[in-house]
Amino acid sequence: MSERLIGHQDFTDWQWLKARLIERYSLDTIETMYSLMIELYPHLVDDMEEYLGADEHLQLRPEIALSELKRTIESQYDWALSIDFRKPESQHVFWYRSEEKMEPRLGERYVESGADKELPVQVARSVKACHALILSDLLLHTDSDVVHFLLRHPDQISIVRRIQTMTPLIYGDIRANLADQDMQPMHLLRAKLSFFGVSKFDPKSRLWVRNTMFQGAPLISELDSGRDLDDWYFPVAPIG
């Protein structure tokens, strides 16, 4: 593919190549080519490994006007405000941490006990409740700022911190109702698990997912076999 696209060995017009890739090839092919292009310049990218970690902390801006926070929620969290949490199916499940493996698990709110141990992952519900409280608070305190709102409602500090921190981040929040009856955990896990080498998912139920890691990767004994092992991570095309 690269020979058809480039045509000569001293090619350096990567912007042209990028445009041609977007025109002709699938997203998987494009991302693979991007990875290969990056490897050509180790002196530029190797040090970036130090920046892959994230300094995760939530910041609070108490000085801004409460009306500004209201507008932020309405513009950035409109997806959360559109959910009707009065419907039983919108709060059907709850997330908790298992005692055996300390991993997140799902429970059915109207069938099982344990909702009192629910993990605080229901961002959409918390945002909508906070927004409703802001609306009622502004009726009495028109010119209020965030700090005085939080003094009156200290239980809202956590969600206000999250809103103010995540708003500038495109991928800061999962824009979905994680308690909905039709929510599938696999939809949340595919991206995360792919970083660990998971390429094949086999959902056995909505409660757990079986996966295959590093499928096709060579064994240690095969590394010196002389075979070309560079394409093992590509999916195998079905036969027949």
Side-chain angles (χ1 to χ4, degrees), residues 77 79-80 120-128 159 162 173 178:
Y77 286 88
W79 58 271
V121 299
Q122 213 356 343
V123 174
R125 185 176 62 199
S126 298
V127 168
K128 187 162 186 176
I159 190 60
R162 185 178 185 90
D173 279 306
L178 301 187

Side-chain angles (χ1 to χ4, degrees), residues 127-139:
V127 168
K128 187 162 186 176
C130 181
H131 179 261
L133 200 55
I134 289 174
L135 292 180
S136 60
D137 195 89
L138 282 173
L139 294 176

Side-chain angles (χ1 to χ4, degrees), residues 154-234:
D155 58 318
Q156 298 299 307
I157 292 178
S158 177
I159 190 60
V160 170
R161 282 183 185 273
R162 185 178 185 90
I163 292 169
Q164 292 185 328
T165 303
M166 296 301 178
T167 293
L169 307 177
I170 299 175
Y171 301 108
D173 279 306
I174 298 171
R175 300 192 173 196
N177 178 15
L178 301 187
D180 192 85
Q181 179 175 280
D182 297 327
M183 194 279 306
Q184 297 292 335
M186 188 179 75
H187 296 162
L188 309 178
L189 293 172
R190 287 179 69 99
K192 174 187 175 183
L193 292 179
S194 66
F195 286 97
F196 303 142
V198 177
S199 57
K200 183 178 180 181
F201 298 85
D202 182 17
K204 308 308 294 181
S205 75
R206 70 188 304 269
L207 297 179
W208 68 284
V209 178
R210 183 170 62 186
N211 60 68
T212 304
M213 303 182 71
F214 302 106
Q215 184 175 28
L219 302 174
I220 294 178
S221 59
E222 297 174 316
L223 294 177
D224 295 329
S225 64
R227 292 168 46 212
D228 183 5
L229 303 173
D230 287 342
D231 61 352
W232 65 265
Y233 54 89
F234 290 110

